[in-house]
Amino acid sequence: MENNKKSFRKPYVRPVKANWWTDRAFYIAYMLREGTAFLGAWIALEFLIIIFAPIFGLNPKIATVAILSNPIVILLNIISLVGVLYHAITWFNLMPKAVRVFTSGNPTNTKLIPEKLIVLAQWVGFAVASVVIIIACCLA
């Protein structure tokens, strides 16, 4: 015997407020970290304008000075620096929880690399990359 009776009951859908993320500090930190993507996009757009300046017949050095000397751009860059550093700090602290790194490939001896070591390695990589970029910019 089949039960072919149609139910006219609507499933309960819990309402979600537009400001759901303001209920807990964890959610606020999460939304702030996600919001820093806009600041990263601003920095990428700035680089693209400077890189593609010659295509539009502009001297890259003059375009760079013209863009970066604008007070609004300076303010946006300071805000972006703070935002990107916040994103880096929170992401580096989150990484050991998101990606589990083991000491060896041996299935019988699987120990996790300590979280502090993973975070330290990321900061070392960040520092090295920053120094390389600064040197490259100074030589250009």
Side-chain angles (χ1 to χ4, degrees):
M1 270 178 133
E2 285 187 40
N3 188 0
N4 290 332
K5 292 181 183 178
K6 184 175 181 180
S7 173
F8 292 98
R9 291 180 53 191
K10 293 182 180 178
Y12 174 72
V13 179
R14 193 172 123 203
V16 178
K17 299 182 299 183
N19 61 347
W20 61 267
W21 55 274
T22 59
D23 292 341
R24 292 189 195 167
F26 173 80
Y27 293 146
I28 292 171
Y30 170 79
M31 293 301 281
L32 281 173
R33 182 175 55 245
E34 294 303 309
T36 59
F38 293 110
L39 301 173
W42 162 252
I43 293 169
L45 179 66
E46 224 174 9
F47 283 139
L48 286 173
I49 290 170
I50 292 167
I51 288 170
F52 290 112
I55 293 173
F56 299 108
L58 301 171
N59 182 335
K61 290 188 180 185
I62 294 172
T64 303
V65 171
I67 291 170
L68 297 180
S69 62
N70 186 327
I72 295 172
V73 173
I74 292 171
L75 179 65
L76 280 172
N77 286 341
I78 291 169
I79 293 169
S80 296
L81 175 64
V82 171
V84 170
L85 285 175
Y86 173 75
H87 186 89
I89 290 167
T90 56
W91 180 249
F92 286 178
N93 290 335
L94 174 70
M95 183 59 80
K97 296 168 184 66
V99 178
R100 298 170 51 97
V101 183
F102 295 97
T103 57
S104 70
N106 184 356
T108 60
N109 185 17
T110 54
K111 293 183 181 178
L112 287 172
I113 293 177
E115 289 185 12
K116 289 182 181 181
L117 185 61
I118 294 171
V119 173
L120 178 65
Q122 291 177 94
W123 280 111
V124 168
F126 178 77
V128 169
S130 297
V131 168
V132 168
I133 291 169
I134 289 170
I135 290 171
C137 288
C138 290
L139 296 177

